[in-house]
Amino acid sequence: MNKNVTLVVMAAGMGSRYGGLKQIDPVGPCGEIIMDYSVYDAIEAGFNKVVFVIKPEIEEDLRKLIGDRIADKVQVAYVHQELTALPEGYTVPNGRTKPWGTGHAILCCKDVIYEPFAVINADDYYGKEAFSLIYESLANADQTASPAPFCMVGYRIANTLTENGYVARGVCETDESMHLTKITERTKIGRVNGQIAFTEDDGKTFVPVADDNTVSMNFWGFVPQIFDELGTRFTAFLDNPPADIKKAEYLLPFVVDELIKEHKATVEVKQTSEKWYGVTYQEDRADVAAAFAEMTDSKKYPKGLF
């Protein structure tokens, strides 16, 4: 069993739809942020290191809000995801201002992680069961195996929606052994007249999705082999960029999907019944705050956490 398992928290995105730094917006009854709950659950599950991927300008705030409070319980590191973190010989395209995407965020961690690790979004609540499931898988992962043994937590899509607009989800297909065979990014999924559906033409047409369809919430588990693949493919992404290089993103699910198709990795899907909570939109905040208040009242979490 691997004694060292790390949690990577991706917190570099600005949250354009939400309208601010939702990563550090208090939502718990004692001023907790969503990351507090994720880190608490991770430590409880057995994780012994946390890496925050951030923009440099929010490091001071993040240290005060969570990093300094957990430093006596778990090893903490900070990684800056900067536009200029590019392979040698490459420069930032004129007009590019947004981060390069989740694949680039994880690539930025290559010099601080040498053990199995999980990846989460800073602004999503994943649930206690999810952390226990992925920790067990990573703690027993063979880091030298080929194909590389990855994993992810899968959620019922009905448990991952907001009432306040569309969300982006990776719709998953699995084989009989619950290994991922394909993941398709749908950027606009929501409830339409009571039915879950996605649109790819700004609402002109909708394609129904079953309530129990498995989706990814960007809760991945990797061994360090992923870093070489991320580096090679990021260079290829820059050499053959999408049409709008000012906004195009190098996304982690796309890399995982490629590795599955090339038989370089397998991804075991750890199914959970947990309900997701997140603040995709400003209007979500009240619902999320009410959920954490209820979880505190029911003693699922202590007041204050740390």
Side-chain angles (χ1 to χ4, degrees):
M1 175 176 285
N2 299 300
K3 294 183 179 180
N4 296 318
V5 181
T6 289
L7 175 68
V8 176
V9 183
M10 296 187 293
M14 291 295 290
S16 57
R17 285 177 295 183
Y18 179 73
L21 284 174
K22 56 183 175 179
Q23 298 91 339
I24 56 176
D25 191 10
V27 291
C30 297
E32 299 92 345
I33 58 178
I34 288 182
M35 277 183 278
D36 280 319
Y37 293 94
S38 293
V39 172
Y40 183 90
D41 288 341
I43 294 173
E44 194 173 64
F47 289 80
N48 61 357
K49 179 178 172 182
V50 178
V51 176
F52 294 105
V53 183
I54 57 175
K55 286 187 174 182
E57 55 264 33
I58 71 168
E59 181 173 341
E60 183 178 353
D61 286 337
L62 197 66
R63 284 181 180 272
K64 292 177 181 178
L65 281 168
I66 183 170
D68 292 346
R69 291 189 292 110
I70 64 173
D72 62 339
K73 300 173 179 64
V74 66
Q75 184 180 348
V76 181
Y78 301 87
V79 169
H80 294 166
Q81 183 184 10
E82 300 186 84
L83 282 175
T84 54
L86 297 171
E88 186 175 353
Y90 291 81
T91 58
V92 178
N94 290 333
R96 177 90 193 194
T97 59
K98 67 182 299 183
W100 287 103
T102 53
H104 180 253
I106 302 310
L107 181 59
C108 289
C109 298
K110 63 183 176 63
D111 293 330
V112 300
I113 296 177
Y114 305 95
E115 60 282 330
F117 64 98
V119 175
I120 63 169
N121 296 327
D123 50 357
D124 289 323
Y125 171 80
Y126 293 94
K128 288 180 177 292
E129 181 188 50
F131 283 93
S132 294
L133 288 170
I134 206 162
Y135 174 81
E136 180 183 6
S137 184
L138 291 171
N140 291 287
D142 180 355
Q143 299 185 58
T144 63
S146 181
F150 300 160
C151 56
M152 61 160 276
V153 179
Y155 291 76
R156 293 181 72 250
I157 191 170
N159 289 343
T160 72
L161 301 180
T162 171
E163 299 299 322
N164 299 305
Y166 296 123
V167 294
R169 296 290 180 260
V171 179
C172 301
E173 297 177 30
T174 60
D175 60 20
E176 293 180 355
S177 64
M178 288 305 293
H179 281 79
L180 191 66
T181 57
K182 184 179 181 182
I183 182 166
T184 305
E185 285 293 308
R186 301 297 184 190
T187 58
K188 290 186 176 180
I189 296 180
R191 291 191 182 276
V192 182
N193 299 322
Q195 166 71 54
I196 299 174
F198 69 85
T199 180
E200 294 183 331
D201 55 10
D202 292 325
K204 296 176 183 177
T205 57
F206 291 90
V207 179
V209 179
D211 284 21
D212 61 352
N213 207 130
T214 298
V215 294
S216 163
M217 295 300 301
N218 256 353
F219 197 168
W220 299 98
F222 298 114
V223 292
Q225 293 180 45
I226 187 71
F227 291 122
D228 286 342
E229 295 291 350
L230 285 170
T232 299
R233 292 162 198 271
F234 185 48
T235 300
F237 170 86
L238 295 171
D239 286 338
N240 300 281
D244 189 358
I245 192 58
K246 293 181 181 180
K247 295 182 178 180
E249 294 186 73
Y250 179 57
L251 297 175
L252 193 56
F254 292 166
V255 175
V256 173
D257 196 46
E258 287 180 353
L259 292 173
I260 292 171
K261 291 175 180 176
E262 296 170 15
H263 305 290
K264 291 185 175 181
T266 60
V267 181
E268 183 182 11
V269 178
K270 314 293 288 187
Q271 199 74 27
T272 182
S273 59
E274 292 277 10
K275 178 173 172 52
W276 163 87
Y277 292 99
V279 283
T280 306
Y281 302 93
Q282 280 279 5
E283 294 82 359
D284 294 331
R285 189 182 181 282
D287 294 336
V288 173
F292 285 130
E294 189 281 326
M295 285 187 270
T296 302
D297 290 343
S298 66
K299 309 300 183 183
K300 185 172 182 177
Y301 292 103
K303 288 186 176 180
L305 294 182
F306 299 111

